[in-house]
Amino acid sequence: MGKEKKYINIIVMGHVDSGKSTVCGHLFWKFGGIDKRTIDRFDREAAEVGKSLCKYSWILDRIKVERERGICIRIPPTRFETNAHYIEITDQLCDENSIKNLFIGTSQVDCALLIVSASSGEFEAGISREGQTREHILLASTVGIKQLIVIVNKMDTTNPSFSEVRFNEIKSDISIYLKRSDYQPETIPFVPLSGLRGDNMIEVSDHMPWYQGWSVDRQEGSVSGETLIEALGAIIPSQLPIEKPLRLPLQDIFHIDGVGTVPIGRIRSGILKPNMVVNFAPLYLTAQVNSIEMYHEAMTEALPGDNVGFSVQGVSVKELQRGFVCSDATNDPAQEAASFTAQIIILNHSGTICQGYTPIIDCHTAHIRCTFAELISKINRRSSKTIEDHPKFLEAGDCGLVKMIPTEPICVERFADYPSLGRFAVRDMRRTVAVGVIKDVEKRTFLSDTMANVITYNTINKDNK
C-alpha cells in the first residue's frame, strides 16, 4: 500500500433496519472488497429464502442468526481503498442491549456515519424516545467524535420515490438533536441515497435532480460535494497521539497454537513494538511482546488507531480479560483506579440519583458497576460554575461533579491526559442514563512492584539467553 494515503477509521451508527449493513456492503462491493462471483452467490442464496433485498447486507452479516434476524451481531472490521484514503468501517449492532459495543467502536474513530431510514414510520421509530438515533448522536458527541456524516437511506421507498419534502423533513428533525449534542449542522454533510440501488453513493443519481449536493464550512476550509464517497474523501484524519505513553484497551484475548497468548485491541496512544515489556492493568501483569500483526500482516511498530493482535510471553489467556489496559511497563504504566472524580450529565433517568447509586459504567472496553460514593456539587453545564454544594440528589437535566468507586478493578485515566480512557457512559434500565468525563483519578500505587517485576523479567530473559 502506498504511503501517500492515510487510514481513516469510521463507525456506522443508526436505528434497527436503517440499512447500515446494506450501505456498507454495497460500498465494499463497489471498491473491490469481494468478487462478482461471491455477490452473485449471495444474490441467489438471499432469493432462495425470500430475502432478495439482503444481498449487500450479507457481505457483512455472515453468520446464520444474523441473516435470519436481519441484524449484525458480530462486528467485523471491513476495510476498502478509495482514491483518497484507506477506510476501515465497523458495522455496529444497534439494539438497546449493544451500547457497550457501540462504546468500544467509538472509542477512537475519525468520523461517524449516522444512517437514518427515509421509509415512512422507520425514521419516526428511530428518532423517538425509545429509538436509538438520539442516543447514538449523544454518544458520538460524548466520546469525542468531531466529524459526522448523516446518510438519509432508503430514499427509493418514500412516497413519492426520492421525495425532496421527506428529505428536508428528516434533515430538519435531525439537525435539532445535533445541536442539542453540541454539533453544528452546517459542518455536517447530509447525503440522500439508496443503499440497495446505489443512488448517490459513488455517482450522482438521476432520480434526485432537486438535490444540490452538500456543502460544509469548517476551520480547515469549505468543502462541497454530492455523493457519499465525496463526503468520505473530505474526512480529515485525526492527529495521532504518538508522543504519549502507550495505552491499548483489550477487546478480546485468544490462545493460538504455536503462537501463545494473543490480545487484540486498538491503540489509543503511544507506540507498540516487538520486544517491548508491557504491563496489563489493573492487575499489574508483566509480559514481553513477541510479534504484532494487523490484517495478518507483520508490523515492526503499531501506531494510534491501529487495530492489532500481538502475541505476548509471560501471561496466559486466562489471566487477561476485556477491559484490561496494556501499557509500556517503563513509561507511565497504567494503574488500577481506586476511585475517580467525574463531571456527569444526567440524560433521561426516570427518578433521582442519590449517594449509593450503583449503575454500570462503560469506559473504553471495560463494563463494570461503580458506586456514586459522593455527590460533590451540582454545576452549570455550560459555565461549570457551582450551583449547589453536596446536593442530596441529581435528576434528568442536571450536571454534577461526583466521586465514584468501582466495585471491581478497572483502569481509567483523566480525560485531560488520555481522552479515550477518560469518557464514559452510565447504563441502567437498559438505556444510557448519563454520560461523563473523568476529572481526576485516585490510583492504587503498585508502581514499585511493577518495576521490580520488569527488572526481574529482564534479568530472567538475559540469563536464559
Side-chain angles (χ1 to χ4, degrees):
M1 295 182 179
K3 294 289 186 180
E4 68 279 0
K5 293 185 181 180
K6 293 185 177 181
Y7 283 91
I8 297 292
N9 293 307
I10 292 177
I11 188 171
V12 181
M13 306 184 296
H15 189 67
V16 175
D17 288 334
S18 59
K20 299 181 301 301
S21 292
T22 298
V23 171
C24 295
H26 202 150
L27 275 175
F28 197 52
W29 150 245
K30 286 289 188 181
F31 285 98
I34 61 172
D35 54 35
K36 188 175 186 305
R37 181 177 179 181
T38 303
I39 195 66
D40 288 342
R41 177 168 59 83
F42 287 158
D43 195 6
R44 291 193 306 271
E45 292 175 353
E48 289 172 0
V49 295
K51 296 185 176 183
S52 57
L53 302 181
C54 297
K55 67 175 183 179
Y56 293 120
S57 65
W58 280 18
I59 295 174
L60 297 182
D61 300 343
R62 299 169 186 172
I63 62 178
K64 183 178 180 181
V65 66
E66 290 178 316
R67 295 181 176 184
E68 289 177 347
R69 295 174 58 189
I71 59 174
C72 181
I73 297 174
R74 192 167 51 89
I75 305 173
T78 303
R79 184 174 62 169
F80 62 89
E81 177 184 354
T82 70
N83 292 332
H85 304 298
Y86 298 113
I87 297 178
E88 180 179 322
I89 293 182
T90 300
D91 183 23
Q92 288 284 342
L93 173 65
C94 57
D95 67 12
E96 60 187 7
N97 296 317
S98 68
I99 297 300
K100 64 180 182 181
N101 293 332
L102 180 62
F103 230 70
I104 294 171
T106 54
S107 291
Q108 183 166 350
V109 297
D110 299 298
C111 180
L113 302 187
L114 176 66
I115 300 183
V116 297
S117 171
S119 292
S120 178
E122 291 185 1
F123 170 72
E124 287 73 16
I127 205 68
S128 69
R129 192 177 186 85
E130 292 75 25
Q132 280 78 55
T133 303
R134 293 195 211 180
E135 191 170 20
H136 288 184
I137 293 173
L138 179 62
L139 285 175
S141 175
T142 301
V143 300
I145 299 176
K146 303 300 183 183
Q147 299 178 83
L148 199 67
I149 297 173
V150 178
I151 296 173
V152 183
N153 190 26
K154 301 187 181 182
M155 287 297 296
D156 54 318
T157 65
T158 60
N159 186 20
S161 298
F162 302 99
S163 170
E164 178 182 6
V165 174
R166 180 62 167 168
F167 172 74
N168 289 333
E169 174 190 356
I170 292 172
K171 181 177 180 180
S172 177
D173 289 348
I174 289 292
S175 295
I176 293 173
Y177 294 103
L178 290 172
K179 290 179 181 178
R180 291 180 182 177
S181 298
D182 297 328
Y183 283 111
Q184 298 176 326
E186 62 271 15
T187 66
I188 297 173
F190 284 77
V191 185
L193 56 77
S194 169
L196 183 65
R197 297 170 52 132
D199 294 86
N200 268 7
M201 293 187 69
I202 311 296
E203 300 176 351
V204 177
S205 172
D206 295 332
H207 296 105
M208 291 177 278
W210 47 266
Y211 180 59
Q212 300 301 310
W214 51 266
S215 177
V216 297
D217 298 319
R218 55 194 184 191
Q219 292 181 349
E220 296 78 9
S222 300
V223 62
S224 61
E226 295 182 80
T227 62
L228 173 59
I229 199 61
E230 289 175 316
L232 293 174
I235 296 172
I236 301 173
S238 302
Q239 293 294 324
L240 302 180
I242 297 175
E243 73 288 348
K244 291 188 175 182
L246 175 67
R247 290 295 184 273
L248 194 166
L250 305 188
Q251 185 168 340
D252 219 333
I253 304 95
F254 297 97
H255 176 81
I256 300 177
D257 292 339
V259 178
T261 303
V262 180
I264 292 176
R266 190 183 301 276
I267 298 176
R268 309 300 167 83
S269 64
I271 301 175
L272 181 68
K273 297 181 179 181
N275 301 318
M276 177 184 288
V277 179
V278 294
N279 170 63
F280 293 98
L283 297 188
Y284 304 95
L285 302 171
T286 305
Q288 182 174 5
V289 178
N290 291 333
S291 61
I292 308 170
E293 287 191 4
M294 183 168 68
Y295 295 107
H296 306 292
E297 296 180 4
M299 306 179 70
T300 56
E301 65 177 20
L303 304 177
D306 289 344
N307 197 15
V308 299
F310 57 104
S311 66
V312 293
Q313 176 185 349
V315 294
S316 70
V317 67
K318 293 182 179 179
E319 293 178 283
L320 302 177
Q321 58 183 283
R322 173 184 285 190
F324 281 20
V325 177
C326 175
S327 61
D328 186 343
T330 61
N331 183 13
D332 188 24
Q335 298 173 261
E336 178 186 352
S339 66
F340 57 91
T341 302
Q343 180 176 322
I344 65 169
I345 300 172
I346 313 300
L347 303 176
N348 56 359
H349 196 277
S350 57
T352 59
I353 292 178
C354 305
Q355 182 176 326
Y357 178 55
T358 309
I360 294 175
I361 301 299
D362 293 344
C363 185
H364 55 87
T365 60
H367 315 288
I368 70 165
R369 291 190 177 276
C370 291
T371 299
F372 282 56
E374 181 184 357
L375 304 185
I376 299 173
S377 62
K378 183 187 295 186
I379 60 180
N380 183 287
R381 177 179 176 180
R382 300 197 177 277
S383 67
S384 296
K385 293 183 178 179
T386 300
I387 299 175
E388 178 185 354
D389 289 321
H390 304 291
K392 293 183 178 180
F393 61 86
L394 296 173
E395 56 187 351
D398 286 345
C399 179
L401 198 65
V402 302
K403 179 179 180 180
M404 307 183 72
I405 298 178
T407 61
E408 302 173 41
I410 187 176
C411 174
V412 298
E413 300 283 0
R414 292 198 321 145
F415 177 81
D417 297 332
Y418 301 94
S420 60
L421 276 72
R423 311 181 185 101
F424 64 89
V426 180
R427 298 280 297 168
D428 195 11
M429 301 174 291
R430 303 177 70 182
R431 67 176 61 181
T432 301
V433 299
V435 293
V437 295
I438 297 173
K439 296 293 187 178
D440 197 15
V441 181
E442 179 188 353
K443 297 184 178 181
R444 298 193 191 278
T445 306
F446 291 93
L447 185 58
S448 58
D449 294 341
T450 301
M451 292 306 298
N453 288 339
V454 173
I455 295 171
T456 302
Y457 189 89
N458 289 337
T459 302
I460 293 173
N461 278 349
K462 289 180 180 179
D463 293 340
N464 290 337
K465 290 179 180 179

